[in-house]
Amino acid sequence: EVQLVESGGGLVQPGGSLRLSCSASGFAFANNYAGWFRQSPGKEREGVAIRSDKGDTVYTDSVKGRFTISIDNAKNILYLQMDSLKSDDTAMYYCAGTRYYVSRWRSLAEDDYEFWGQGTQVTVSS
């Protein structure tokens, strides 16, 4: 059974930073596609950042230059470093992964991922 567990969310002021973590059991981030999605109240869930099975990365335009996705291979943890946070980044953040090849991984489509965590809330507010 695959389990993904996010942590690291919280309340932060605009311009601040947070690092989200996603721990996995039964799933290896190093060899698979995995990433971060987010959902704000009243909005659809959107892809934020994906890391491919080869280590390539893609980001949604609104977070480019501010967010960084990475893994700790030894600990099997997926991270999302979020800097220069804005109020628009307020959302529930979800970790997701798949064991399948994702040909369209750069499109950040949530339908390509079968494993999901329960989410961690990020609130950016002064």
Side-chain angles (χ1 to χ4, degrees):
E1 180 185 6
V2 172
Q3 285 192 322
L4 304 179
V5 180
E6 302 95 334
S7 60
L11 173 64
V12 63
Q13 292 187 341
S17 297
L18 280 176
R19 187 178 74 164
L20 305 183
S21 301
C22 178
S23 299
S25 59
F27 181 83
F29 289 118
N31 303 322
N32 294 292
Y33 292 83
W36 293 91
F37 293 76
R38 66 185 180 186
Q39 187 169 23
S40 304
K43 295 185 179 180
E44 293 186 354
R45 189 157 57 185
E46 66 167 342
V48 176
I50 299 294
R51 182 188 179 279
S52 77
D53 60 340
K54 300 295 189 295
D56 296 320
T57 58
V58 64
Y59 300 88
T60 192
D61 286 345
S62 62
V63 309
K64 285 179 181 177
R66 301 188 298 120
F67 290 11
T68 304
I69 187 171
S70 63
I71 66 168
D72 183 322
N73 198 8
K75 297 180 180 178
N76 197 31
I77 296 176
L78 181 72
Y79 296 106
L80 184 68
Q81 177 66 41
M82 305 187 296
D83 298 319
S84 302
L85 282 161
K86 306 175 181 180
S87 57
D88 287 347
D89 296 319
T90 295
M92 184 71 78
Y93 283 73
Y94 299 90
C95 169
T98 180
R99 289 198 178 112
Y100 296 100
Y101 172 71
V102 182
S103 60
R104 60 172 187 172
W105 67 279
R106 292 187 180 275
S107 67
L108 297 161
E110 65 173 297
D111 291 347
D112 292 328
Y113 302 88
E114 69 268 27
F115 304 122
W116 290 84
Q118 82 291 348
T120 186
Q121 178 67 39
V122 172
T123 302
V124 184
S125 175
S126 56

